[in-house]
Amino acid sequence: MPKMTMVQALNMALRQEMEKDDRVIVLGEDVGVDGGVFRVTDGLIDRFGPDRVVDTPLAESAIVGMSIGMAVYGLRPVCEIQFSGFSYLNFHQIECHASRLRHRSQGRWTVPMVLRTPYGGGVRALEHHSESREVFYAHMPGLKMVIPSGPRNARALLVSAIRDPDPVIFFEPKAVYRAFREDVPEEEETLPIGKSLLAREGRHVTLITYGAMVRPVLEAADRLSQTDGIEPEVIDLLTLAPLDDTLLVESAKKTGRVVIVHEAPCSYGPGAELVARLVEKAFYFLEAPVRRVTGFDLIMPLFAREKAYLPNAERIVRAVKETLEAAA
Amino acid sequence: MPRTPLAVDSPLEYLAILDEKGEVDSALEPNLSQELLLKLYRFMVLGRRFDERMLQLQRQGRLGTFAPIKGQEASQLGAVAALEPRDWMVPCFRETAAQLWRGTPMESILLYFGGFDEGGRIPEGQKDLPVAIPVASQLLHAVGLAWAAKYRKSDEVAMTFFGDGATSEGDFHEALNFAAVYQTPTVFVCQNNQWAISTPRSKQTRSRTLAQKALAYEMPGLQVDGNDVLAVYTAAKEAVDRARAGGGPTFIECVTYRMAMHTTADDPGRYRSDEEVAEWTRKDPIARVEKYLAAKGMLTPQEMEAVASEADAAIQEAIQRYEEIAKTLGDPLQMFDHHFEEMPVHLLEQREELRRFLETENEEARHA
């Protein structure tokens, strides 16, 4: 199996789906000749031509609004918004139309589109290029919200997202884009949208996370295991909406202690929903308060301070130890 | 270092064919069949009378808020009549007459404004999108549909409707720009009805015409008398034919007037004068078609009465059907339908929670 970065794996997913299905159209700013600013769509225009890999004018609302029309027609548009920090301009089209057209037309028209966009900090980018606002989309009825954490699951999830009959928001952790390589099979591989993944088996505490935070969480888990004999269980959500809580409720019942990690701001963040689910479904099994290790409720600082903003393995290790020390 | 005029052509035109006295410019008069002319007339009357009846129902508390169309029958029907059934119609929220022309049953419109999501259902075979409330947002869908039709090498056209206020929105400009760049078969029909709620056209934009906005995007644009169904039809037919033949998008500004309120929640007396409304009443689009058809010997006073009473009878039947259907739509659990192809687990749980609550509530009511 070839070893690939997440960028290469996403590129493979797009290429293979475009080969299989001429309804799949890639569109966005600089996705064609330039191959995307992160090179996710590199080479697709040479293979499929400018009618299927469309360099659009610079207008996020139009990219998404046009994708909605294309999807209603029966195509499978995969549009790219260059950075999630610019997706507020298309937010209106997602909220008012993509997420609602199936319901508004009572099932007559559907919007099988994918919106891909890089999110998150850690690559020393400009202002507006590093925020983590997945909860805006995860909160919206009628949408699916997916965040892969590595090359292999990114490829499998993108294939599933393209084939999904409903609109899927696909956040790509740009800190992971080229951070490491994984074996990615050339043969078709899909992952069900709406299922989380047991990323590490353990018994003392459950760590719940997703996206770019999976790596520091796994690093923290390894350190805790090696130096303190603590064996954390790690759950990688992969899908934020619809959130299937089966795995995390089971794990919380087993370990009795939970730490949630995300880089999005804390208040009303994804952690809040996870805590609520655990309280509703596993309260009597919990032996300590659920802890959150998250971004602060701040505008993402410029890159000189972004490391201090982002949760890291050390913060996670300390939170886990405090949770384990907490009295029931 | 020259300072010379830019080579920007201005092919903008104003088109009017049938004036308010019912007189027609015979050089411009389109050669329409008697059948089409009478059908247009029937739908203008039906649209007007249905609208007036809906207003009564709303005032009686039997319908919720809706946007009346009175005065805009010619601009809607003249435009939509240029489409074939295989074409796409992308409305905003004030296209009742256009929806009726396309085949939306009156009871669906009543259900929608009566508060039932089921009213949004589009009949099979009818390629319309449901009404779009956020201003200008739907124009991009028409561009996407038209782009897809072009990609599929189909000759379908997408026509979208919007008001003068919409031309201030970003989505309007993005839609015209994308449509022109990709040369999509899209027809943009702006119903310039002079008022965006309380804001007059003159405060909406500094542009002397809305039609001139097409120039910036290098697409054909023209202004038509929107109360003249012959002019609107002529302009729309040219645009649709051009789009179908691969000639790209067109922007049409229909100069018309919203004779009633913005929506039933609005009081236009706060911002406009009775004289203005009276002046536009003299330009009524239906009255001039009646004069035109009568002069052509296609319509007698008796036939006019017959058209009106047929419309009233059809409206009355639709209201009865609506009220009967509405009685069968009591199940609140329907609100969970049509969000996803397959209902996710958390929605199944929430649906079950409501179902159980309603069941016990009903039981308690029985015992009370």
Side-chain angles (χ1 to χ4, degrees):
Chain A
M1 275 193 277
K3 283 206 178 290
M4 288 187 185
T5 62
M6 183 184 277
V7 166
Q8 291 167 327
L10 290 165
N11 183 274
M12 182 167 85
L14 290 169
R15 178 170 47 81
Q16 290 184 337
E17 286 307 288
M18 291 181 84
E19 273 165 3
K20 280 202 188 79
D21 185 351
D22 75 348
R23 297 175 303 172
V24 181
I25 307 290
V26 167
L27 68 156
E29 294 157 18
D30 308 303
V31 297
V33 177
D34 198 36
V37 293
F38 288 102
R39 304 288 177 263
V40 172
T41 53
D42 202 21
L44 296 180
I45 195 169
D46 304 324
R47 198 167 186 122
F48 301 104
D51 289 342
R52 293 188 64 194
V53 185
V54 185
D55 273 322
T56 66
L58 204 165
E60 288 76 10
S61 188
I63 292 166
V64 173
M66 200 169 99
S67 296
I68 291 167
M70 291 160 77
V72 168
Y73 192 95
L75 302 182
R76 295 288 180 272
V78 183
C79 66
E80 176 179 303
I81 299 300
Q82 212 158 64
F83 288 91
S84 68
F86 305 138
S87 75
Y88 313 120
L89 292 159
N90 63 59
F91 193 78
H92 177 240
Q93 284 289 343
I94 294 287
E95 160 60 38
C96 292
H97 296 294
S99 68
R100 290 169 181 251
L101 248 173
R102 179 189 284 277
H103 186 74
R104 274 177 46 226
S105 67
Q106 294 287 288
R108 175 73 196 284
W109 304 122
T110 60
V111 187
M113 64 173 283
V114 180
L115 185 157
R116 290 182 38 246
T117 189
Y119 85 98
V123 301
R124 298 171 64 82
L126 290 165
E127 193 186 358
H128 306 293
H129 287 63
S130 299
E131 54 247 69
S132 185
R133 298 285 187 273
E134 53 277 19
V135 75
F136 290 177
Y137 294 104
H139 186 64
M140 212 184 278
L143 278 192
K144 295 181 180 178
M145 167 84 225
V146 174
I147 307 187
S149 59
R152 188 166 179 170
N153 62 41
R155 185 272 188 123
L157 280 169
L158 184 54
V159 171
S160 299
I162 292 168
R163 296 179 189 177
D164 197 279
D166 285 299
V168 180
I169 307 296
F170 195 89
F171 263 36
E172 297 169 5
K174 60 176 155 319
V176 181
Y177 265 159
R178 295 173 194 282
F180 63 97
R181 287 170 188 270
E182 261 179 7
D183 290 329
V184 182
E186 181 73 19
E187 316 69 79
E188 177 173 306
E189 201 170 59
T190 59
L191 268 176
I193 290 175
K195 288 275 174 257
S196 47
L197 185 80
L198 189 63
R200 186 190 196 280
E201 242 185 283
R203 57 202 159 94
H204 296 120
V205 59
T206 300
L207 307 185
I208 306 172
T209 189
Y210 57 88
M213 287 294 114
V214 171
R215 292 239 298 166
V217 166
L218 286 172
E219 186 194 332
D222 285 345
R223 275 171 53 183
L224 287 160
S225 167
Q226 283 156 18
T227 59
D228 303 279
I230 299 165
E231 295 300 335
E233 186 140 296
V234 177
I235 294 170
D236 179 354
L237 290 178
L238 296 177
T239 302
L240 268 62
L243 178 66
D244 180 2
D245 53 35
T246 314
L247 194 58
L248 51 112
V249 168
E250 272 172 24
S251 179
K253 285 181 177 173
K254 182 170 81 177
T255 65
R257 293 169 197 267
V258 179
V259 175
I260 294 161
V261 183
H262 60 65
E263 62 179 285
C266 187
S267 296
Y268 303 96
E273 175 63 24
L274 295 168
V275 172
R277 297 275 187 121
L278 293 169
V279 167
E280 284 169 357
K281 297 187 177 178
F283 181 76
Y284 296 110
F285 297 85
L286 295 176
E287 291 168 36
V290 178
R291 288 287 302 261
R292 287 182 283 176
V293 182
T294 69
F296 303 106
D297 290 346
L298 302 173
I299 292 165
M300 182 80 179
L302 297 184
F303 68 81
R305 295 192 183 86
E306 73 175 340
K307 275 194 178 162
Y309 173 93
L310 292 169
N312 61 14
E314 183 55 30
R315 267 174 73 192
I316 298 160
V317 163
R318 288 191 198 185
V320 169
K321 285 184 179 172
E322 283 168 18
T323 300
L324 284 162
E325 284 158 14
Chain B
M1 270 13 124
R3 186 169 176 141
T4 52
L6 290 174
V8 180
D9 298 328
S10 174
L12 297 170
E13 288 178 338
Y14 175 77
L15 177 65
I17 298 172
L18 173 64
D19 72 11
E20 52 208 79
K21 295 188 206 95
E23 282 168 16
V24 68
D25 183 331
S26 55
L28 294 172
E29 185 183 4
N31 184 22
L32 303 186
S33 68
Q34 178 166 343
E35 190 193 352
L36 178 58
L37 285 169
L38 288 174
K39 188 179 171 191
L40 281 165
Y41 173 66
R42 278 202 312 276
F43 274 85
M44 287 172 80
V45 171
L46 179 68
R48 171 75 57 95
R49 296 179 90 88
F50 182 51
D51 196 58
E52 287 171 344
R53 192 76 180 90
M54 289 219 301
L55 189 54
Q56 287 175 347
L57 294 174
Q58 194 277 335
R59 294 308 191 222
Q60 293 164 1
R62 291 158 76 190
L63 278 187
T65 305
F66 78 98
I69 63 161
K70 189 176 181 183
Q72 298 183 213
E73 296 85 355
S75 70
Q76 290 185 22
L77 291 165
V80 84
L83 293 179
E84 300 288 334
R86 67 180 183 281
D87 295 322
W88 295 83
M89 201 274 279
V90 183
C92 67
F93 49 80
R94 202 189 298 282
E95 271 72 60
T96 307
Q99 288 178 293
L100 295 177
W101 179 276
R102 293 280 288 177
T104 303
M106 277 184 274
E107 54 266 34
S108 285
I109 297 169
L110 292 165
L111 281 167
Y112 181 78
F113 290 113
F116 293 98
D117 294 305
E118 287 90 338
R121 203 176 61 82
I122 310 288
E124 282 300 319
Q126 187 183 325
K127 285 153 78 178
D128 296 2
L129 261 53
V131 298
I133 309 270
V135 172
S137 59
Q138 74 282 8
L139 274 65
L140 289 160
H141 311 157
V143 179
L145 288 164
W147 189 97
K150 192 176 169 181
Y151 175 73
R152 282 298 192 215
K153 299 187 169 38
S154 145
D155 69 349
E156 297 153 35
V157 171
M159 175 181 283
T160 183
F161 288 91
F162 50 99
D164 39 309
T167 65
S168 303
E169 288 274 9
D171 276 356
F172 164 82
H173 296 277
E174 295 186 21
L176 262 66
N177 189 46
F178 270 54
V181 167
Y182 300 127
Q183 287 292 290
T184 62
T186 315
V187 180
F188 296 96
V189 180
C190 177
Q191 296 187 75
N192 170 9
N193 68 11
Q194 312 304 324
W195 292 92
I197 306 189
S198 69
T199 306
R201 219 291 284 149
S202 59
K203 283 191 182 171
Q204 195 64 240
T205 171
R206 182 79 174 158
S207 303
R208 275 170 290 164
T209 68
L210 301 178
Q212 73 199 65
K213 292 177 190 285
L215 266 185
Y217 302 101
E218 201 70 32
M219 76 169 70
L222 78 164
Q223 191 181 60
V224 303
D225 180 345
N227 284 11
D228 166 0
V229 75
L230 300 183
V232 178
Y233 179 84
T234 301
K237 186 74 170 61
E238 279 176 17
V240 168
D241 288 349
R242 176 165 50 238
R244 210 184 295 292
T250 303
F251 177 65
I252 301 170
E253 175 192 357
C254 297
V255 180
T256 181
Y257 194 72
R258 181 243 293 162
M259 286 162 77
M261 56 290 282
H262 163 65
T263 68
T264 49
D266 165 50
D267 170 17
R270 291 174 67 92
Y271 52 81
R272 68 184 189 190
S273 66
D274 293 344
E275 292 76 47
E276 184 185 300
V277 180
E279 190 192 322
W280 279 93
T281 305
R282 283 193 289 278
K283 299 179 187 171
D284 191 300
I286 296 180
R288 69 177 82 173
V289 173
E290 284 175 348
K291 288 176 196 157
Y292 172 69
L293 293 177
K296 277 183 119 45
M298 289 182 187
L299 193 66
T300 62
Q302 294 77 16
E303 283 164 338
M304 281 180 214
E305 270 177 40
V307 166
S309 56
E310 274 166 31
D312 288 346
I315 291 163
Q316 199 48 42
E317 279 172 30
I319 292 168
Q320 275 163 10
R321 277 197 300 276
Y322 153 62
E323 290 186 330
E324 275 160 30
I325 295 166
K327 274 185 230 155
T328 69
L329 301 179
D331 184 3
L333 295 179
Q334 192 278 346
M335 73 170 95
F336 285 89
D337 295 347
H338 305 301
H339 282 86
F340 298 100
E341 186 158 290
E342 223 174 295
M343 200 179 286
V345 177
H346 74 287
L347 281 186
L348 288 167
E349 287 174 3
Q350 291 175 16
R351 189 181 187 279
E352 181 58 15
E353 184 189 325
L354 178 61
R355 192 192 64 76
R356 275 204 222 119
F357 172 77
L358 294 170
E359 203 176 76
T360 53
E361 201 186 32
N362 286 341
E363 257 168 46
E364 278 168 24
R366 264 201 303 278
H367 293 301

